[in-house]
Amino acid sequence: AKVGWEKLLNRAGTTFRKVPEADRADISQAKAIALMVAQPSMIKRPVLTRGDDILVGFRPEEWLRFVD
């Protein structure tokens, strides 16, 4: 809930691309959560937490700021 399903759902991954187009169209929060529960590889990784801060995905410049 803190980062939102839109940020957690890995739309660029091969698992998501294998989902039928009808299931990918007009994706809602409920549909996205169901997909991520059924196929955890659809969750963008890594997910890092530090206190109340959460970082999703790997972008080197953001990692450097996050771990400092």
Side-chain angles (χ1 to χ4, degrees), residues 8-34:
L8 280 177
L9 182 62
N10 184 6
R11 296 172 190 250
T14 57
T15 306
F16 184 77
R17 288 182 287 181
K18 289 179 183 177
V19 172
E21 179 61 35
D23 292 336
R24 289 186 284 160
D26 300 323
I27 195 157
S28 65
Q29 178 179 353
K31 191 186 283 188
I33 290 172

Side-chain angles (χ1 to χ4, degrees), residues 51-65:
D52 289 335
D53 296 327
I54 301 173
L55 181 64
V56 177
F58 181 74
R59 286 182 288 301
E61 64 283 354
E62 289 184 14
W63 269 56
L64 290 173
R65 282 182 271 149

